[in-house]
Amino acid sequence: MNILFRDTMTVYNFRRDKTTGAEKWHRTVVKGIQWRHNRNELSVSNNVQSVAKAEHITIDFGHSYGNTAHYIQPCEYKSVPEEEIAKYWTLDTSEGMDVLVLGESEYEINADCKLSELSKYFQYTVTVTAVSDNRNMPRLKHIKVVGK
C-alpha cells in the first residue's frame, strides 16, 4: 500500500431510473485515496473575491488497493444497464448530485436514509464540483476531485 493513499471514501453516484424517473444512488467504496481537508479556494464573481473551504481528494490509479469496481467516464456510466452497475463508479459534475464521504459507509440512500442525512453520520461529506483526470500520465496515474 502506498503511504500517501491510505484513506477510503464512499462514492454515491446519482442515477435516474429510465422507466419511472425515480432518483437512485449507487454506493461504491473506493480505497487508495488521499483526502485533504478545508483547503481554501478563491473565486471571483463580478469583481468580488470570495474564499470558500473545499475538500481535495486524490485517487491513485497506479495500484488496485483491492477495489473491485472500475472507474468509467460519466457519459459511459449513464448507459450501463442497472444489472451491471455494481461493477462501475464515476465522478460526475454535470448534475451536481454525486456525493463523496470520507470513510467506508454502509448506508444506502433510500426511504430510510436520505442523502441529506449522510452529514449527520460523517464529518466529511461533499458534493463533487470539479474533476481532473490525470490517468494518462506516465507516472502517478490519478484523478483529482474537488468537493464542497
Side-chain angles (χ1 to χ4, degrees):
M1 174 178 275
N2 189 319
I3 61 169
L4 296 176
F5 299 96
R6 292 183 161 212
D7 296 324
T8 298
M9 73 176 174
T10 304
V11 179
Y12 288 93
N13 288 124
F14 173 77
R15 283 176 64 98
R16 192 168 296 280
D17 188 290
K18 293 177 181 171
T19 55
T20 65
E23 294 180 346
K24 292 180 161 185
W25 277 267
H26 178 263
R27 178 178 58 89
T28 306
V29 174
V30 179
K31 298 178 181 178
I33 70 156
Q34 181 183 59
W35 190 299
R36 296 187 307 169
H37 306 292
N38 296 324
R39 303 279 304 202
N40 288 330
E41 193 168 84
L42 178 68
S43 62
V44 179
S45 178
N46 296 329
N47 292 329
V48 176
Q49 292 183 350
S50 61
V51 177
K53 298 288 184 188
E55 302 292 298
H56 289 237
I57 301 107
T58 305
I59 307 159
D60 181 17
F61 283 89
H63 304 88
S64 72
Y65 297 97
N67 295 323
T68 56
H70 301 285
Y71 178 83
I72 58 176
Q73 295 295 330
C75 57
E76 296 174 63
Y77 186 82
K78 291 176 183 176
S79 64
V80 172
E82 193 63 36
E83 59 272 6
E84 294 186 25
I85 201 65
K87 298 177 187 176
Y88 305 101
W89 62 281
T90 194
L91 297 164
D92 191 356
T93 60
S94 65
E95 296 187 50
M97 298 291 283
D98 282 357
V99 172
L100 307 179
V101 170
L102 177 60
E104 188 169 339
S105 172
E106 298 175 1
Y107 297 101
E108 295 289 346
I109 304 302
N110 53 32
D112 297 331
C113 180
K114 304 263 187 249
L115 186 64
S116 59
E117 292 177 11
L118 284 177
S119 59
K120 292 179 188 176
Y121 305 123
F122 296 93
Q123 181 178 1
Y124 297 104
T125 303
V126 297
T127 301
V128 176
T129 58
V131 176
S132 177
D133 190 343
N134 300 298
R135 292 177 297 152
N136 61 346
M137 304 300 287
R139 293 191 181 106
L140 189 57
K141 297 175 183 312
H142 69 283
I143 291 180
K144 181 162 181 160
V145 184
V146 177
K148 293 183 182 176

